[in-house]
Amino acid sequence: MSLASSHSPHGRTPLRTVQVLGGGSAGSSAHVRSLASGLVARGVRVTVCAPVEAEHTYDFTGVGAEHVPVPRSTDPSSLAALRTVCADADLVHAHGLHAGLRAALALGGRRTPFVVTWHTRAHAEGARAHLLRLLERRVARVASVVLGTSSDLVDRARRRGARDARLAAVALPPPRMSPEYDDPDRLRPKTRAEIGATERPLLMAVGALERHRGYDVLLDASRVWRRLDPAPLVVIAGEGPLRPSLQRRIEDEGLPVRLIGRRDDVGELLAAADLALLPSSWESRSVLAQEALHARVPLVATAVGGIRELVGDAAELVPYGDAGALATAVVRLLDDPERRELLRERGTRQAATWPTEDETVAQVLSVYDELTQARPFP
């Protein structure tokens, strides 16, 4: 029987955990909400330390957790607030590298069990890359257990000196749908019309406009698609520092690409697409890849990080940085409806192998029990 169960076996008090949210990406934030919901349902007390805007978006209190507003910062006031919350925790679980650092600083020398989930890998170049390695090493070595969302993240944690690194079970967050989305077949033509793709293929990419996302390669590939009749429309949902330079290229080169910024209807846009594109230089458990397979949208992705492990044979995989290979894969799929249908069927089977929310919570609880089995009686 779990020490964290609601029955408080052998007279133990309910386990009290603190979940520390760092960068607050859609994937990690949705994971923390799902995890908090499952833990609370099993009698675990959960406090989520996250910025106010994260609570507004993900409603941690709505699933029974306590929310303590803590900014994403290592300034003294933020660390003091975090230190106060963690003072009487049975276990602290940080999500992301920077959350791990902040939690480690807040815990100081206390022997509180400390779990860190690495949801993705930070990207840095030059001197910042060296600092990033130092940060990874510090967090990996201080954590009781590091959970990595892909095998290469587990290997990375071990290389950085983690005492115990394991592959994490992470369920797909709920689809990013607007409230009125209820009938995909009815809304698909409307969505395509609104985006300007009524009589042309629609290709969908999602993610922050940052260098590691590979959007420069995607624009290179789109030059080939200009020559098709009709030319596919590439829609990129996301915002970031590269927007001015990407927009300039789109306009100067007359590329069939639209930047539509952050959207709260990504689910319907993806469901309306003919293909999903993931040209990144690195990914772990890509939310877009999972949503595409669940939505039966054929995926073309780079064979990097945890992508092959995640999608198996249910996507077209191309080398990162190879615009020609990306363009060729897209053109081939658009011309081959049988191949698209095969990928849809494979995607459905592959998605069925991914962890459920219950399995995710069960794995985390087993780690918690293992680390807290020596808890004192009240």
Side-chain angles (χ1 to χ4, degrees), residues 289-298 311 313-315 340-354:
Q290 294 176 80
E291 289 181 337
L293 268 59
H294 265 293
R296 293 176 57 81
V297 177
V311 303
D313 65 354
R340 295 200 303 274
E341 183 58 30
L342 176 63
L343 289 179
R344 292 186 188 102
E345 293 172 0
R346 287 178 175 177
T348 298
R349 290 197 299 269
Q350 182 69 14
T353 70
W354 295 335

Side-chain angles (χ1 to χ4, degrees), residues 10-27:
H10 311 301
R12 294 187 191 276
T13 55
L15 189 71
R16 179 173 184 268
T17 70
V18 173
Q19 308 288 323
V20 183
L21 194 56
S25 69

